[in-house]
Amino acid sequence: MLNRRSFLSKSTAATLAMLFGSSVAQKKIKAQTTPENNLISGPLVISTWIHGMAANEAAMEVILKGGRAVDAAEAGVRVPEADPENMSVGLGGLPDRDGKVTLDACIMDEKGNAGSVCFLENIVHAISVARLVMDTTPHVMLAGSGALQFALEKGFQKENLLTEKAKKRWEEWKIESKYQPVPNIENHDTIGLIAIDQQGNISGACTTSGMAFKIHGRVGDSPIIGAGLFVDNEVGGATATGTGELVMRTLGSFLVVELMRNGYTPQKACEEAVMRIVKSNKNLKDHQVGYIAVNKAGETGSFCIQPGFNYALFKDGKNVLIDSGSYL
Ligand code: SD4
């Protein structure tokens, strides 16, 4: 009879044989720069882009005080949400084509609970509204004016999220009014963060103002459980950044976690999820998608379509920014 350990090592070996034995596509993947086999036994926080550095610090502070991973994840992403200089998350986010800042966010804990808000206006901390959807309602997702009403009922203050700087950028954009996704905009974008606490529990959070100058009402991947974020405490967690439509069509974060469940390392799982997008899209140069992932053992991985994506990793007492490997 196979015990769990021998089953896992056999299935991992089978997966590796499959990966190395096949696929022209796999050969195209450049050597990635992620440290390999970074097995840990302590707490860990991983998050997207350079703004993840400050988010990781806030998240790790919660963990080191003995807090839950879900509290750490929420606290972490609240940092870029509150930063008016950050033009892709929360306050100061670039607006849609009508000049409205609309936010998407979701959160998932170690028990598989999930909460989400989308198309939310006038509330800085969308992630904390998502948290309350998870903790205090029988629902997973609230949208638009209903999400706003819920937030106000819970005591959140209505605020103008459109800063002068973001308004100016919108006014410049209006001259041509051409919608064009811009890869690696501002060198940061959605923040997605996965945390492992001192109990070894995994949770995650994801929050964004979404694609700049999108059609009013557009919702991206970030608030969709399984697309922008997915956590399974037995397996690991993953989160996404970039062109949400490409992530939604492949349910990317769920895919990464399911691949890890089937024996892929976090690195190989992120690569395979990017390859699903690569295979079905001819026009890759205008798009970026980046995934980060961590498994239950604390191994991490990341991969993206084109160079420029980086992520912050806080483990073993050190918080570092790492360039992701890319397909192009
Ligand atoms: C979205 N993935 O709304 C998010 C964030 C973004 O370029 O704008 N990425 O699609």
Side-chain angles (χ1 to χ4, degrees), residues 107-127:
I107 190 160
M108 203 165 178
D109 75 8
E110 78 282 2
K111 295 175 190 138
N113 297 313
S116 157
V117 289
C118 65
F119 191 42
L120 173 66
E121 290 182 56
N122 297 114
I123 302 289
V124 173
H125 290 298
I127 197 64

Side-chain angles (χ1 to χ4, degrees), residues 15-303:
T15 305
L16 289 174
M18 200 175 76
L19 285 171
F20 288 123
S22 69
S23 169
V24 175
Q26 282 292 339
K27 285 184 194 145
K28 282 192 183 168
I29 294 173
K30 284 182 194 166
Q32 46 81 29
T33 54
T34 312
E36 278 187 13
N37 294 327
N38 38 1
L39 196 71
I40 61 137
S41 53
L44 176 155
V45 183
I46 185 169
S47 62
T48 53
W49 302 105
I50 193 167
H51 53 197
M53 293 295 284
N56 282 6
E57 297 281 346
M60 191 54 89
E61 202 181 315
V62 173
I63 291 172
L64 293 179
K65 284 183 186 150
R68 286 175 66 201
V70 69
D71 293 323
E74 180 184 354
V77 302
R78 281 174 60 98
V79 175
E81 276 187 339
D83 180 359
E85 294 303 313
N86 185 323
M87 302 185 87
S88 52
V89 181
L91 177 67
L94 289 170
D96 64 20
R97 68 178 186 186
D98 296 350
K100 313 267 192 214
V101 181
T102 71
L103 305 181
D104 294 340
C106 74
I107 190 160
M108 203 165 178
D109 75 8
E110 78 282 2
K111 295 175 190 138
N113 297 313
S116 157
V117 289
C118 65
F119 191 42
L120 173 66
E121 290 182 56
N122 297 114
I123 302 289
V124 173
H125 290 298
I127 197 64
S128 296
V129 185
R131 175 77 190 263
L132 287 174
V133 173
M134 175 171 83
D135 286 350
T136 71
T137 82
H139 308 306
V140 169
M141 181 179 249
L142 294 179
S145 59
L148 176 60
Q149 186 187 333
F150 172 78
L152 297 176
E153 282 166 15
K154 292 291 181 187
F156 288 79
Q157 299 298 312
K158 219 171 161 176
E159 286 178 51
N160 175 22
L161 304 183
L162 186 65
T163 57
E164 279 307 312
K165 191 172 157 193
K167 191 171 171 210
K168 191 162 171 277
R169 287 275 294 274
W170 171 58
E171 277 160 356
E172 284 160 10
W173 172 83
K174 273 200 297 182
I175 296 166
E176 267 198 63
S177 292
K178 195 170 150 224
Y179 178 73
Q180 176 70 44
V182 182
N184 307 327
I185 192 167
E186 306 276 323
N187 204 29
H188 55 73
D189 211 309
T190 298
I191 179 139
L193 182 152
I194 312 282
I196 305 182
D197 63 26
Q198 297 189 66
Q199 280 67 47
N201 285 324
I202 310 172
S203 298
C206 183
T207 179
T208 189
S209 52
M211 287 290 194
F213 317 128
K214 60 197 173 186
I215 294 174
H216 188 61
R218 181 264 187 188
V219 170
D221 61 312
S222 304
I224 311 287
I225 297 295
L229 173 76
F230 196 72
V231 171
D232 183 323
N233 199 40
E234 287 188 357
V235 177
T239 186
T241 180
T243 306
E245 284 72 8
L246 300 180
V247 177
M248 292 158 91
R249 287 182 198 133
T250 49
L251 211 55
S253 293
F254 182 74
L255 175 61
V256 171
V257 173
E258 287 309 292
L259 289 167
M260 292 194 292
R261 189 194 307 283
N262 286 297
Y264 281 57
T265 63
Q267 182 59 39
K268 289 290 175 198
C270 290
E271 289 172 8
E272 176 61 24
V274 167
M275 292 313 294
R276 296 278 172 101
I277 293 171
V278 165
K279 279 175 205 157
S280 55
N281 288 279
K282 291 202 176 73
N283 173 25
L284 288 171
K285 73 172 179 34
D286 290 338
H287 294 280
Q288 176 64 295
V289 167
Y291 291 108
I292 56 172
V294 59
N295 67 12
K296 192 72 178 167
E299 294 172 303
T300 57
S302 82
F303 205 62

